[in-house]
Amino acid sequence: MKTMDDAKTVDDTRENLEICKKYCGSCPTCKGNKLSGSPPNALFCARGKSSVPSKVKTISCYCPACEIFTKYELIVGYFCAQ
Ligand code: SF4
Ligand code: SF4
């Protein structure tokens, strides 16, 4: 079975950030928790989960539609919260 440990490491690059903004930037979870206002702001699959003071309340995740999700063979999503 494939696990998180098998996933490739996403590079924290400007190019990947621009791609991420199309998805995390319009995601209800991101907007609902104001994630863009707290580090790491976006690109959570590369930078790790959000540092919002209260735990991220998950609503929905747009990651599975993202090119990076496919390219790096990521699984599950909700990288901002876990
Ligand atoms: S997989 Fe999710 S966190 Fe990673 S770049 Fe795409 S939208 Fe952003
Ligand atoms: S990681 Fe997923 S749930 Fe979190 S902000 Fe990005 S698209 Fe939304």
Side-chain angles (χ1 to χ4, degrees):
M1 195 180 96
K2 191 166 180 170
T3 68
M4 288 296 283
D5 292 338
D6 297 325
K8 297 176 189 170
T9 304
V10 178
D11 297 314
D12 185 357
T13 63
R14 174 157 289 281
E15 183 187 10
N16 283 348
L17 178 61
E18 290 306 314
I19 295 169
C20 182
K21 282 179 180 175
K22 293 190 291 180
Y23 300 95
C24 283
S26 56
C27 163
T29 299
C30 187
K31 289 183 173 177
N33 293 274
K34 297 185 169 61
L35 300 185
S36 61
S38 299
N41 310 98
L43 202 54
F44 305 104
C45 60
R47 298 173 173 174
K49 68 179 180 180
S50 177
S51 65
V52 288
S54 54
K55 197 169 184 293
V56 175
K57 184 171 180 278
T58 54
I59 301 167
S60 67
C61 180
Y62 287 1
C63 288
C66 172
E67 300 94 287
I68 291 171
F69 191 91
T70 305
K71 178 181 175 185
Y72 289 87
E73 301 177 353
L74 302 180
I75 53 172
V76 184
Y78 289 108
F79 303 108
C80 59
Q82 57 192 2

